[in-house]
Amino acid sequence: MEEMDMQLVERLVGENPKFRMLFEEHQLLEKELIEFEKKRYLTAEEEMERKKIQKIKLAGKDEMARILRDFSATVN
């Protein structure tokens, strides 16, 4: 991410409760995915859970991008 984008993200984390919640959830989901990656083999249940987490994480990322775009449009 560019430095300007990171500054906007930091600002939104401080000012926008929804964005902050999405950002924190994104970080937690990333940690869960890292734990799955550490395993040599995933059971069928673990694989389903990993895919579920990926989908939730992606949806959150899309929502954060939308908020960031909207915010950038009002700042510029």
Side-chain angles (χ1 to χ4, degrees), residues 2 17 19 21 26 29 33 39 41 51 60-62 73 75:
E2 293 180 24
F19 188 88
M21 189 251 337
H26 185 81
L29 293 172
L33 288 173
K39 295 184 176 189
Y41 173 78
K51 288 183 181 191
K61 187 175 181 179
D62 289 346
V75 173

Side-chain angles (χ1 to χ4, degrees), residues 8-62:
L8 287 175
V9 167
E10 290 174 10
R11 184 171 171 187
L12 281 168
V13 166
E15 296 176 7
N16 185 314
K18 177 159 177 83
F19 188 88
R20 179 177 39 255
M21 189 251 337
L22 289 166
F23 185 80
E24 290 170 356
E25 179 183 54
H26 185 81
Q27 290 179 319
L28 290 173
L29 293 172
E30 180 63 26
K31 288 179 184 178
E32 288 183 41
L33 288 173
I34 289 170
E35 290 303 312
F36 280 119
E37 289 174 8
K38 290 179 182 178
K39 295 184 176 189
R40 180 177 276 252
Y41 173 78
L42 297 178
T43 66
E45 293 82 18
E46 288 172 327
E47 184 63 32
M48 285 177 37
E49 181 65 19
R50 184 183 70 82
K51 288 183 181 191
K52 177 182 165 188
I53 290 170
Q54 286 176 322
K55 287 179 183 179
I56 294 169
K57 184 178 168 219
L58 182 58
K61 187 175 181 179
D62 289 346

